Amino acid sequence: PENTEIEAELTFVQGGAAATSGRGGGSFFEGVGSVAATGSAASLRVHQSFVKLPEDPIEPREWDPRQAAGATSWMDFNTPLGGDMTRRVIRRHRLEKVDPSAEVSDPVEPIVYYIDSGVPEPMRSALLEGARWWNQAFEAIGYRNAFQVELLPEGASSLDVRYNVVNWVHRSTRGWSSGGSVTDPRTGEILKGTVTLGSGRVRQDYLLAEGLLSPYETGTETPPELEEWALARLRQLSAHEIGHTLGFAHNYYDSELGRISVMDYPHPWVTLNPDGSLDYSEVYEVGMGEWDYVSVAFAYQDFPAGVDEKAELNKIIEDAWAEDNIFMSGDASIHPKIDVWSNGNDAAVELERMMAVRSAAMSRFGERAIKLGKPLSEIEKVLVPLYLHHRYQIDAAGSMIGGVDYIYSLRGDGRDPFNYVSGADQRRALASLLGVLDPSELALHESLIDQLPPRPAGFRGGREYFPRWTGGMFDVITPAVVLADHTIGNILDNSKAARLVEQSAVDPSIPGLGEVIDEVFGTLFGAGTVDPYQAEISRAVEWIAVNRVMGLAGGAPMPQVRAVALKKLEDQQEVLDGMMGSADDSDAAHYFLLSG
């Protein structure tokens, strides 16, 4: 009754000059071909909603960059000269107390979310529980039963604007979940929240647990901790995506308080016990984080008549920031404490801790990672997330190199808006990253290699598996290549290299690009190996490092980055020429390739 839904089916056919020349939409049709009957034509449904706006608009609340509620904005051409023509107000649901004077009151109308009734158990209960966490934050600002979660009634349409819906969607591959909303553009009032949860995500967390725990002693059991782990993540995911539909953005800040928000991307918290076993008792957080209470208070707290609302809202933010309870949702590749899928508040220290967890799990990894009767080649599917267990922490440590520690500062707040990450911390992060590339950390143990035959018919590879240089046989080198390229790419990308040049020019205590390249080459070409397998891994990693520096020399936008990289390549060629005389045949061939 309050919205009209219109769909148009549009069919795109591959052809014309773009198709025959190999330019244009080829990649689009290749992607469609993996999920459609044919890649030569693709039919897409374009959906549009026409929604009735409220006759009684809510009072807008001004947006503040230091808090998490997203903004609705428009240009106000009646703004006096000297004023900001862009008007920004936060997005939020309508919420009012029955008794505005009461410290605790029922709402005039609660915010109600509905879970897709097609979600099977035990996932359904997990989604309901995680969604209901938000009521904790509404209770903290004086609302009783303000946030409710139910199953979608039979016969109700998920497109009906009267229902805030959590949809359970099947996809051909694992994909992102999302939370969006229909918003009144005049006031920022959220009229409908829509969450889309991919049903495959929970299975990926199950897979992560299998890899870390290698739990199948006999191969016939179904350890309950695997399901508990996956459902703990699903509860958090339910709260996270609903948080977006309540108006809130991601908060990636690594606070001294710990995990402060369900709006972060959480990495499983697994620690190493003294006996070498893994402690996963707190794998994911339960309930709201400290920042989530701040978000709800800023967006939904009501104030008595006569109170200076702007001053009270500012106090909410100031009190939180004084406790290192801060909102930061910016570039995760620049800020040393804005990290996704990471833990801790010192990225370099946490990387080293995670390496110890990974090493312990890798030492036990093998056929116990899969159930009895499965093809042994399927061990690789579980190996991939374990081997790359620390990949996001590598990103986090990489953000310290050329990093900038900044805040969303306002003029007059008396805060320091930004600082370069200190030279000592940048060098410490570089050492941690290069430690990841030790051949002993990259090599697979012999017993595991002996358990990985080619895949049988009917078991195809794909993006969830390692690439191969070896045809159908499992490749024991390319896992190291994937991890090394990811790590070195976090040290030597174009923008980071430019920041190293500029930062060291402003502050000579910060390592310059030349020093970083020297450290990379010196560590990798000086790595010790104990057998021919590790030596081959070492050569592959050295090849990646040289190619990354060549990429800077040939393609970096900043001329000085190109100049420094080119000079370091020439220096390294002289080093290789000097090593050629004492090298064995394999190393000599390798050095000849690099020198060429």
Side-chain angles (χ1 to χ4, degrees):
E2 296 180 8
N3 58 299
T4 297
E5 304 298 307
I6 296 176
E7 280 191 357
E9 186 170 289
L10 307 181
T11 299
F12 297 87
V13 180
Q14 188 172 11
T20 56
S21 67
R23 299 189 304 270
S27 61
F28 168 77
F29 284 97
E30 290 169 9
V32 169
S34 67
V35 295
T38 174
S40 62
S43 294
L44 306 177
R45 290 183 181 177
V46 178
H47 192 107
Q48 294 173 312
S49 299
F50 294 84
V51 179
K52 178 184 177 182
L53 294 178
E55 295 180 3
D56 179 25
I58 67 170
E59 185 67 27
R61 179 163 290 180
E62 295 298 322
W63 180 79
D64 186 313
R66 301 169 299 168
Q67 57 80 50
T72 293
S73 63
W74 66 89
M75 301 292 287
D76 183 353
F77 290 92
N78 288 323
T79 302
L81 289 176
D84 188 352
M85 289 178 60
T86 302
R87 178 84 187 277
R88 299 177 179 88
V89 299
I90 68 169
R91 295 185 296 111
R92 56 176 179 158
H93 286 273
R94 183 184 297 253
L95 190 65
E96 302 166 294
K97 284 183 175 180
V98 170
D99 182 357
S101 64
E103 185 175 345
V104 178
S105 170
D106 287 323
V108 173
E109 186 174 338
I111 301 170
V112 184
Y113 273 71
Y114 297 90
I115 304 295
D116 190 334
S117 58
V119 182
E121 291 287 5
M123 284 74 80
R124 174 190 291 185
S125 293
L127 292 179
L128 286 165
E129 183 180 342
R132 287 168 178 156
W133 289 350
W134 281 104
N135 196 49
Q136 301 167 9
F138 285 96
E139 287 179 342
I141 61 170
Y143 278 96
R144 184 189 301 114
N145 300 319
F147 186 86
Q148 302 175 17
V149 187
E150 303 173 5
L151 284 178
L152 187 66
E154 185 176 350
S157 170
S158 63
L159 299 176
D160 191 331
V161 76
R162 296 173 299 172
Y163 295 96
N164 303 299
V165 181
V166 177
N167 298 288
W168 185 252
V169 178
H170 302 309
R171 296 189 175 106
S172 62
T173 59
R174 175 172 53 88
W176 295 105
S177 298
S178 64
S181 57
V182 178
T183 305
D184 185 339
R186 305 168 300 174
T187 63
E189 179 183 354
I190 295 172
L191 307 177
K192 174 183 174 63
T194 301
V195 172
T196 301
L197 295 182
S199 62
R201 291 289 300 280
V202 68
R203 300 181 187 277
Q204 185 68 14
D205 285 282
Y206 199 95
L207 186 70
L208 292 176
E210 287 179 316
L212 274 166
L213 303 181
S214 293
Y216 302 116
E217 184 71 36
T218 66
T220 59
E221 68 271 49
T222 303
E225 58 266 28
L226 301 179
E227 181 177 291
E228 292 166 5
W229 178 315
L231 293 179
R233 173 67 179 106
L234 190 59
R235 293 184 193 97
Q236 197 279 337
L237 180 62
S238 178
H240 178 102
E241 299 302 347
I242 285 176
H244 283 314
T245 71
L246 290 172
F248 305 132
H250 293 123
N251 188 358
Y252 298 138
Y253 183 66
D254 295 336
S255 170
E256 299 287 343
L257 298 173
R259 297 180 285 187
I260 60 172
S261 180
V262 297
M263 302 311 297
D264 197 355
Y265 283 170
H267 195 276
W269 177 248
V270 181
T271 58
L272 191 61
N273 291 321
D275 64 357
S277 62
L278 299 181
D279 182 350
Y280 48 90
S281 58
E282 299 180 21
V283 62
Y284 293 111
E285 196 63 271
V286 177
M288 294 286 96
E290 288 89 339
W291 177 256
D292 303 318
Y293 287 94
V294 176
S295 291
V296 169
F298 188 96
Y300 292 96
Q301 178 71 70
D302 57 332
F303 300 100
V307 170
D308 186 339
E309 178 176 303
K310 186 173 182 179
E312 290 298 318
L313 293 174
N314 186 66
K315 186 176 185 301
I316 290 173
I317 300 298
E318 293 283 350
D319 289 349
W321 280 43
E323 298 176 354
D324 201 40
N325 193 10
I326 294 177
F327 170 68
M328 296 294 294
S329 192
D331 191 334
S333 68
I334 295 177
H335 198 296
K337 288 192 174 184
I338 303 179
D339 303 310
V340 298
W341 308 114
S342 69
N343 287 308
N345 52 49
D346 185 314
V349 170
E350 177 62 11
L351 176 57
E352 293 171 5
R353 191 199 66 79
M354 287 186 67
M355 285 292 292
V357 170
R358 174 185 178 273
S359 180
M362 286 291 296
S363 69
R364 294 187 289 267
F365 186 81
E367 66 174 21
R368 287 180 51 184
I370 62 172
K371 283 199 165 186
L372 194 67
K374 272 195 167 187
L376 281 173
S377 62
E378 285 294 273
I379 294 174
E380 181 185 0
K381 187 175 183 179
V382 193
L383 171 64
V384 172
L386 174 59
Y387 191 86
L388 302 175
H389 173 68
H390 52 328
R391 63 196 180 280
Y392 293 108
Q393 202 60 42
I394 289 170
D395 296 344
S399 69
M400 296 176 68
I401 299 175
V404 181
D405 190 348
Y406 65 91
I407 60 171
Y408 302 142
S409 184
L410 305 179
R411 181 174 180 178
D413 64 11
R415 292 189 171 93
D416 195 358
F418 85 96
N419 288 290
Y420 297 144
V421 175
S422 72
D425 284 346
Q426 293 199 35
R427 291 183 177 92
R428 187 164 53 83
L430 179 59
S432 295
L433 287 165
L434 293 176
V436 168
L437 301 179
D438 189 293
S440 65
E441 297 287 356
L442 297 173
L444 303 172
H445 56 80
E446 184 177 351
S447 61
L448 174 58
I449 294 173
D450 292 341
Q451 294 175 338
L452 289 166
R455 302 184 191 104
F459 287 80
R460 299 172 59 188
R463 64 175 185 169
E464 302 289 349
Y465 294 86
F466 287 119
R468 281 160 161 66
W469 290 338
T470 53
M473 188 64 206
F474 178 79
D475 194 319
V476 299
I477 301 296
T478 54
V481 169
V482 169
L483 189 51
D485 190 56
H486 181 74
T487 304
I488 297 171
N490 263 285
I491 300 171
L492 298 174
D493 80 331
N494 287 334
S495 60
K496 193 165 297 184
R499 293 199 300 275
L500 287 168
V501 170
E502 294 186 7
Q503 288 184 12
S504 61
V506 174
D507 182 353
S509 70
I510 292 175
L513 176 59
E515 178 185 333
V516 170
I517 294 175
D518 284 342
E519 190 66 23
V520 170
F521 281 162
T523 300
L524 299 184
F525 281 87
T529 59
V530 299
D531 56 39
Y533 173 38
Q534 286 192 16
E536 199 60 57
I537 286 176
S538 184
R539 284 189 279 269
V541 174
E542 292 165 3
W543 173 76
I544 289 168
V546 168
N547 272 272
R548 280 287 182 174
V549 179
M550 288 174 63
L552 294 179
M558 186 182 194
Q560 186 62 11
V561 169
R562 293 192 182 198
V564 172
L566 184 58
K567 177 63 169 60
K568 291 303 174 184
L569 287 171
E570 292 180 351
D571 292 347
Q572 189 62 22
Q573 183 165 2
E574 292 181 7
V575 172
L576 296 179
D577 290 344
M579 297 168 66
M580 192 76 75
S582 59
D584 61 21
D585 287 347
S586 294
D587 277 338
H590 171 60
Y591 298 152
F592 183 77
L593 171 67
L594 297 183
S595 296

